[in-house]
């Protein structure tokens, strides 16, 4: 049949242009089943991996998905690895996913308090307790925190070795007891509380992993210890709430117990019971003691590792919270850098290793479908170390908080989120700042070798093992430091031999109100270089370093650099410890080479304490043959020229198995370093030292610190040159120059008092600033400290930029940080900078 023309056109249009109809809805994508993590063992699942390395295992799961299933024996647990999904779990799904097995263990022991309750009961209890943490209470709490810390720190003594974790536990417990309960615990109760805590925490995690709750009732050792710990904690809380047995209950108006006793339970209309009061008191003791004390321990440990950070904190305290003043909320708000430091400590060392929720009903987490009854686990520690959220997450970098980095609520959850967010967050931040400020103003902690903080993971990431020796800051200026440390400065004012303080904070110069700040600083964490087995090397056995020191002493005596009678004083410098800290990967012959190099340079530097430091001809006679050896002049040393003989051997050992490019660079930089000795002697002889300005002084001394040669040795120890493209970078040249300048400036702070007592004119930046600017000693010290901090910030930025462009050379960039950290650790214990006569006291 033939269609009419109009009909034909209409039919054609239908074929060309589809009719305007609403398309059917696309089928909803099916929710995914979370993937199963690889490596499950028959019968055990992933329990062995979780127990062997909890943080490493949990951190590794993110590569498999935002939610990942793991098996713990017969149980399947979903681990939420994506920070956004954790935020969703805690906020949007809070009602459908109440707390899980870990918290249920404590609920059985302590009742249905704020920490363990859910739903309406939780909301009611939170409204009752909230006034105790209102802004109007904070000023009073700050005064108590300050007083308690001052009292406790006032009982410490110079030279005392402090178990930091234990002491911070005592401090945090006393702050909670005095602030919230207006009570004082007996010493016996305090000790019992701290002895019980480990059994409580261990029992909590073990019982939460039982395949059946009935196992918690068996008379197993872990269960018996847990039950005993619960009884102890109840007794301690009763003493805080009701006073010591046999005494009248103190007047507790305005305290947390009084607030609870005056409240009415909305569900029953009746007053809260004493069991309710005890339950909330236990919550505050538990939440307000262990996590805060652990964070304080990590804070002190990080400040020991990063003295330049400690210097900035002390400077900010000097400006906004002067010594002797009681902290106020307004003063704390001005401590912006200190807040960045505490935030970075909490990020890097999040107290909660893992927490759990349980899905009451089927829920969706992102693309994943979670069946009802599923246990959900998340680790704040793993989330806060996620490289997708935080650049260089394993590094301690407070500056990341100053530009807003990482502040997004989904990625930074130290106090939780949603309706269960910690009610005492403001209290905890204030406690960290006030306690740290009071301690640091009065004392300079010095790391005890081999006793640094280490992570021990249960439900919290605890800091075990940190011990420090206490040195007073000084009576006139609590922010100043006192230490007998670092290498002695001759009239040359030369920097610490092994590249002292690449980016380190100021170090001690002696006594008096203007002493700059110092601190020990063992190795910072580093990022693995390609092919390296680990980011941080295994600790070197102390016996290995002592053996290297013995071999060096034999070497120095054999070459005539030292007489046997000089060895006791020389050994007190502990140069081998500097090398041990600064070059953690050096072993065997490399370790011996480094210790011999440092010892040789120290002996050379000491020569310029005498006439060569003031007589150019003698300085040239001493140094020129050493420079000639670098140029290939292998003529035999003259009889008695013991320094040259030892140097020729050392230079040959340095050059062995190195590339021509490395040898040329090392020779050039050793030449520049050695040439500073006669140059400084000529200035003294002409009397031009005092006339030199700051810029001229810095240019003259940039290479005198010996930082450049020891940075080259990083490649010698590594066994390969840093990439040529990295060496060609102007930014690397800038970083290395900043390093040398920082070493010089910090040396000037270390040696200030010693050089002030010299008759010969000293090259010292503090003294130069006093002369050029006509300022006081205190202002000059602050200016030098400020410059060191600026150099540190610039170097950290340069490292990040260079590492992004040259990842294969990151080991070299990180090695400079290790070098500085090692020098700072050493300066805290060495006798090298003691003013003559002080060693005998």
């Amino acid at each position: 049949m033939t269609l009419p023309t109009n009909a034909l056109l209409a039919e054609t249009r239908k074929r060309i242009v589809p009719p305007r109809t609403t398309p059917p809805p696309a089928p909803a994508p099916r929710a995914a089943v979370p993937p199963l993590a690889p490596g499950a063992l028959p019968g055990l699942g992933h329990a062995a991996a979780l127990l062997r390395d909890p943080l490493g295992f949990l951190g590794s799961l993110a590569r498999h998905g935002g939610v990942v299933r793991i098996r713990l024996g017969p149980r399947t647990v979903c681990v939420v690895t994506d920070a956004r999904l954790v935020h969703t779990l805690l906020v949007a799904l809070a009602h459908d996913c109440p707390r899980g097995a870990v918290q249920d263990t404590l609920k059985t022991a302590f009742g249905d308090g704020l920490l363990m309750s859910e739903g309406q009961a939780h909301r009611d209890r939170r409204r009752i307790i909230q006034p105790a943490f209102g802004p109007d209470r904070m000023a009073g709490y700050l005064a108590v925190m300050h007083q308690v810390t001052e009292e406790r720190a006032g009982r410490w003594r110079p030279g005392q070795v402090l178990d930091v974790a234990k002491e911070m536990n005592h401090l945090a417990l006393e702050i909670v007891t005095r602030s919230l309960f207006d009570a004082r615990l007996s010493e016996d109760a305090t000790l019992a509380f701290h002895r019980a805590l480990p059994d409580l925490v261990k029992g909590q995690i073990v019982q939460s992993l039982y395949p059946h709750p009935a196992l918690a009732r068996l008379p197993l050792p872990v269960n018996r210890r847990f039950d005993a710990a619960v009884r102890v904690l109840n007794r301690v809380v009763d003493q805080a709430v009701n006073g010591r047995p046999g005494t009248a209950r103190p007047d507790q108006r305005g305290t947390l117990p009084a607030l609870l006793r005056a409240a009415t339970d909305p569900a029953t209309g009746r007053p809260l019971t004493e069991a309710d009061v005890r339950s909330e008191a236990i919550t505050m003791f538990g939440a307000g003691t262990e996590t805060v004390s652990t964070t304080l321990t990590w804070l002190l440990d990080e400040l020991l590792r990063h003295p330049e950070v400690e210097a900035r904190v002390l400077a900010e305290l000097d400006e906004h919270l002067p010594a002797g003043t009681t902290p106020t909320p307004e003063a704390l708000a001005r401590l912006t850098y200190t807040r960045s430091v505490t935030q970075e400590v909490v990020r890097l060392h999040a107290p909660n290793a893992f927490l759990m929720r349980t899905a009451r009903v089927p829920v969706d987490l992102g693309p994943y479908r979670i069946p009802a009854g599923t246990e959900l686990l998340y680790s704040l520690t793993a989330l806060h170390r996620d490289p997708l959220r935080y650049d260089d997450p394993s590094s301690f970098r407070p500056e990341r908080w100053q530009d807003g980095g990482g502040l997004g609520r989904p990625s930074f959850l130290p106090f939780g989120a949603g309706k269960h967010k910690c009610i005492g967050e403001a209290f905890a931040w204030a406690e960290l700042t006030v306690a740290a400020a009071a301690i640091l103003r009065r004392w300079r902690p010095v790391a005890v070798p081999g006793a640094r903080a280490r992570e021990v993971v249960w439900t919290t990431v605890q800091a075990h093992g940190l011990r420090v020796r206490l040195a007073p800051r000084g009576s006139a200026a609590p922010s100043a430091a006192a230490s007998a440390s670092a290498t002695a400065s001759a009239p040359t004012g030369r920097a610490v031999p092994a590249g002292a303080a690449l980016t380190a904070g100021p170090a001690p110069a002696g006594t008096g109100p203007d002493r700059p700040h110092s601190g020990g600083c063992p190795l910072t964490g580093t990022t693995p270089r390609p092919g390296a087995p680990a980011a941080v090397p295994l600790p070197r056995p102390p016996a290995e370093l002592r053996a290297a020191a013995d071999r060096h002493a034999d070497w120095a005596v054999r070459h005539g650099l030292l007489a046997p009678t000089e060895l006791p004083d020389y050994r007190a410098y502990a140069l081998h410890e500097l090398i041990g800290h600064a070059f953690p990967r050096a072993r065997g012959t490399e370790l011996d080479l480094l210790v011999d190099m440092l010892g040789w340079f120290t002996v050379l530097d000491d020569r310029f304490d005498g006439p060569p430091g003031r007589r150019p001809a003698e300085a040239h006679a001493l140094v020129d043959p050493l420079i000639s050896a670098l140029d290939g002049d292998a003529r035999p040393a003259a009889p008695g020229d013991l320094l040259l003989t030892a140097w020729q051997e050392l230079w040959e050992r340095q050059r062995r198995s190195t590339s021509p490019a490395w040898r040329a660079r090392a020779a050039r930089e050793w030449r520049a370093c050695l040439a500073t000795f006669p140059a400084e002697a000529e200035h003294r002889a002409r009397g031009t030292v005092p006339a030199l300005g700051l810029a001229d002084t810095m240019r003259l001394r940039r290479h005198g610190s010996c930082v450049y040669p020891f940075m080259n040795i990083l490649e010698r120890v590594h066994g390969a040159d840093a990439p040529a493209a990295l060496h060609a970078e102007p930014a690397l040249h800038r970083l290395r120059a900043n390093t040398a300048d920082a070493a010089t400036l910090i040396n000037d702070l270390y040696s200030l008092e010693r050089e002030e007592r010299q008759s010969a004119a000293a090259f010292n930046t503090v003294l130069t600033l006093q002369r050029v600017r006509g300022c006081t000693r205190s202002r000059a010290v602050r200016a030098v400290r400020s410059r060191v901090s600026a150099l540190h910030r610039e170097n950290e930025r340069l490292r990040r930029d260079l590492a992004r462009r040259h990842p294969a050379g990151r080991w070299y960039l990180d090695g400079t940080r290790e070098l500085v950290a090692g020098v700072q650790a050493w300066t805290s214990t060495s006798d090298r900078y003691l003013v003559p006569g002080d060693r005998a006291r």
Side-chain angles (χ1 to χ4, degrees):
M1 179 180 71
T2 303
L3 293 173
T5 303
N6 290 343
L8 181 62
L9 290 174
E11 185 66 24
T12 303
R13 287 194 196 99
K14 289 181 182 178
R15 294 175 183 175
I16 297 173
V17 182
R20 294 184 179 180
T21 59
T22 302
R30 296 184 61 183
V33 176
L36 179 67
L41 300 175
L44 293 175
H46 300 91
L50 178 63
L51 293 174
R52 183 172 59 249
D53 182 12
L55 299 183
F57 174 70
L58 294 173
S60 71
L61 297 177
R63 69 173 70 106
H64 303 295
V67 180
V68 181
R69 288 178 297 137
I70 63 172
R71 299 195 191 283
L72 301 177
R75 297 161 57 189
T76 297
V77 175
C78 284
V79 180
V80 187
T81 67
D82 187 303
R84 293 167 299 182
L85 297 183
V86 171
H87 191 265
T88 299
L89 175 67
L90 300 181
V91 180
L93 300 178
H95 177 72
D96 294 331
C97 298
R99 291 182 171 96
V102 174
Q103 286 88 340
D104 286 345
T105 303
L106 292 183
K107 183 175 180 179
T108 303
F110 300 132
D112 199 12
L114 181 68
L115 186 63
M116 280 70 76
S117 60
E118 293 287 348
Q120 187 62 44
H122 176 83
R123 289 191 290 272
D124 291 342
R125 194 61 58 86
R126 191 178 182 98
R127 276 195 290 269
I128 293 172
I129 296 174
Q130 186 66 58
F133 295 97
D136 58 315
R137 298 287 187 100
M138 190 53 67
Y141 290 155
L142 294 179
V144 175
M145 293 171 185
H146 178 70
Q147 181 181 358
V148 169
T149 310
E150 285 287 346
E151 289 174 1
R152 188 152 204 98
R155 295 196 289 268
W156 303 340
R157 292 292 176 263
Q160 178 182 348
V161 174
L162 214 62
D163 182 331
V164 177
K166 178 181 178 181
E167 195 66 23
M168 293 306 102
N169 245 300
H170 282 259
L171 174 63
L173 178 63
E174 192 171 355
I175 287 175
V176 167
T177 306
R178 298 262 294 270
S179 299
L180 298 180
F181 298 88
D182 192 22
R184 293 176 183 264
L185 295 176
S186 68
E187 189 64 22
D188 288 344
T190 300
L191 293 173
F193 178 87
H194 292 298
R195 283 196 293 265
L197 268 183
D199 291 333
L200 185 76
V201 173
K202 293 175 185 177
Q204 178 190 11
I205 188 171
V206 170
Q207 291 187 12
S208 70
L209 295 175
Y210 284 153
H212 194 280
L215 292 175
R217 296 191 291 271
L218 295 178
L220 302 174
V222 66
N223 293 339
R224 290 201 304 270
R225 288 192 295 268
F226 177 79
D227 293 339
V230 171
R231 290 192 294 272
V232 168
L233 188 53
N234 273 290
R235 286 199 301 270
V236 172
V237 169
D238 283 342
Q239 185 181 124
V241 172
N242 302 314
R244 298 187 187 185
T247 65
R249 191 166 70 188
D251 180 7
Q252 294 184 321
R253 287 175 296 180
T255 65
L256 180 63
L259 190 69
L260 292 167
R261 289 184 174 117
T264 301
D265 187 343
T268 65
R270 298 174 182 173
L272 298 183
T273 66
E274 285 302 305
D276 292 328
V277 175
R278 179 187 292 108
S279 179
E280 299 306 342
I282 288 174
T283 296
M284 296 307 157
F285 270 92
T289 299
E290 187 192 10
T291 55
V292 171
S293 65
T294 297
T295 304
L296 272 172
T297 303
W298 284 121
L299 173 60
L300 293 178
D301 185 73
E302 290 294 352
L303 292 180
L304 286 171
R305 297 174 187 272
H306 301 87
E308 74 284 352
V309 173
E310 186 187 28
R312 290 189 62 186
V313 168
L314 287 165
E316 188 174 67
L317 292 174
D318 285 342
E319 182 176 359
H320 298 299
L321 192 62
T325 60
T326 299
T328 64
E330 295 75 20
L332 293 194
R334 292 191 291 269
L335 300 176
T336 55
Y337 182 74
T338 303
R339 178 59 179 260
S340 296
V341 171
T342 56
Q343 284 176 310
E344 182 68 350
V345 171
V346 171
R347 180 199 67 81
L348 188 56
H349 304 288
N352 298 111
F354 63 86
L355 296 166
M356 298 183 75
R357 295 289 187 268
T358 301
R360 288 192 304 108
V361 297
V363 296
D364 290 332
L365 261 181
Y368 305 102
R369 185 66 170 172
I370 308 299
T374 301
E375 292 178 289
L376 295 151
L377 181 150
Y378 61 96
S379 168
L380 292 182
T381 310
L383 293 177
H384 291 172
R385 297 178 184 180
D386 184 354
L388 295 178
R389 300 284 172 182
Y390 298 95
D391 180 45
D392 196 10
S394 62
S395 295
F396 180 74
R397 286 174 39 205
E399 63 271 15
R400 77 171 79 240
W401 299 97
Q402 295 178 293
D403 58 5
L407 277 174
R409 185 51 70 183
S411 63
F412 187 57
L413 304 167
F415 294 93
K419 66 179 184 179
H420 287 294
K421 183 182 179 184
C422 177
I423 197 171
E425 177 179 7
F427 186 98
W429 284 122
E431 184 178 357
L432 289 172
T433 303
V434 172
I439 291 169
L440 293 173
R441 283 191 175 286
R442 184 183 289 263
W443 297 104
R444 180 176 59 81
V446 177
V448 174
R452 301 314 307 263
R454 66 184 187 279
E455 289 183 338
V456 176
V457 183
W458 291 100
T459 51
T460 58
V461 184
Q462 300 171 9
H464 283 201
L466 178 62
R467 291 188 299 126
V468 299
R469 191 179 304 278
L470 297 172
R473 289 279 178 198
S475 58
S479 63
S483 169
S485 58
T487 42
S489 172
T492 59
R494 193 165 302 277
V496 178
L502 162 63
T503 54
T511 58
D514 299 328
R515 283 181 303 177
H517 154 69
S518 175
C521 178
L523 306 176
T524 57
T526 59
T527 301
R529 62 181 182 268
V536 179
L538 292 175
R540 184 190 287 104
E544 185 176 346
L545 273 181
R546 289 195 296 270
D550 292 341
R551 291 192 295 270
H552 169 66
D554 292 342
W555 180 86
V557 170
R558 187 170 66 252
H559 281 82
L561 301 177
L562 294 169
T565 56
E566 297 174 301
L567 282 178
D569 285 345
Y570 179 79
R571 280 182 176 272
Y573 300 160
L575 299 178
H576 62 287
E577 292 183 3
L578 190 160
I579 294 300
H581 286 305
F583 295 89
R585 295 168 184 82
R587 296 291 191 273
T589 58
E590 303 295 338
L591 180 61
D592 288 343
L593 171 63
L594 287 162
V595 178
D596 290 347
M597 281 175 56
L598 180 58
W600 177 87
F601 187 86
T602 301
V603 172
L604 173 68
D605 189 64
D606 283 349
R607 294 292 177 91
F608 286 84
D609 284 345
R614 300 181 297 276
R615 300 173 185 172
E618 292 186 26
H620 277 288
L622 196 57
V623 168
D624 287 352
L626 305 175
I627 295 177
S628 296
L630 296 169
D631 295 330
D633 184 354
R635 69 177 186 273
D641 198 346
L642 304 175
L643 268 173
L644 178 58
T645 302
W647 173 242
Q648 287 172 334
E649 182 203 281
L650 278 176
W651 179 235
E652 177 58 33
R653 287 163 62 189
Q654 290 177 67
R655 297 169 69 241
R656 197 172 299 155
S657 304
T658 57
S659 70
W662 187 93
R663 292 196 295 270
R665 186 167 60 251
R668 181 174 64 250
E669 289 166 356
W670 268 119
R671 191 180 302 113
C673 174
L674 295 171
T676 61
F677 285 100
E680 291 176 1
E682 288 174 2
H683 277 288
R684 286 195 191 85
R686 295 199 303 266
T688 55
V689 177
L692 284 177
L694 182 62
D696 289 334
T697 300
M698 293 305 300
R699 277 194 295 269
L700 175 65
R701 303 176 58 215
R702 176 164 286 160
H703 285 271
S705 63
C706 198
V707 178
Y708 281 106
F710 273 86
M711 281 193 289
N712 288 332
I713 292 295
L714 289 169
E715 296 171 284
R716 178 74 168 75
V717 171
H718 181 67
D721 292 6
L726 175 61
H727 273 299
E729 283 272 11
L732 182 68
H733 300 167
R734 176 70 177 173
L735 184 146
R736 285 161 60 92
N738 286 353
T739 296
D741 286 351
T744 300
L745 293 173
I746 293 168
N747 174 79
D748 289 347
L749 293 168
Y750 289 155
S751 58
L752 179 56
E753 184 183 7
R754 183 181 179 116
E755 292 178 343
E756 282 180 320
R757 298 187 183 186
Q758 295 173 176
S759 57
F763 287 89
N764 187 292
T765 314
V766 176
L767 301 178
T768 302
L769 280 172
Q770 286 183 255
R771 182 182 67 253
V772 171
R773 298 184 182 177
C775 62
T776 64
R777 186 180 192 264
S778 180
R779 282 182 175 273
V781 167
R782 287 199 297 270
V784 172
R785 289 169 60 181
S786 177
R787 178 57 180 159
V788 171
S789 295
L791 290 170
H792 166 68
R793 291 193 297 272
E794 182 179 8
N795 273 4
E796 287 303 305
R797 178 182 59 77
L798 291 170
R799 280 195 191 92
R800 290 195 299 273
D801 292 344
L802 288 167
R804 279 193 286 268
R805 292 198 297 273
H806 305 282
R810 184 157 196 160
W811 60 268
Y812 179 86
L813 301 170
D814 289 339
T816 61
R817 188 184 290 112
E818 290 179 341
L819 188 154
V820 170
V823 171
Q824 287 295 336
W826 171 75
T827 58
S828 301
T829 54
S830 173
D831 286 353
R832 182 65 171 152
Y833 266 148
L834 285 179
V835 175
D838 283 357
R839 189 175 297 130
R841 292 201 290 270

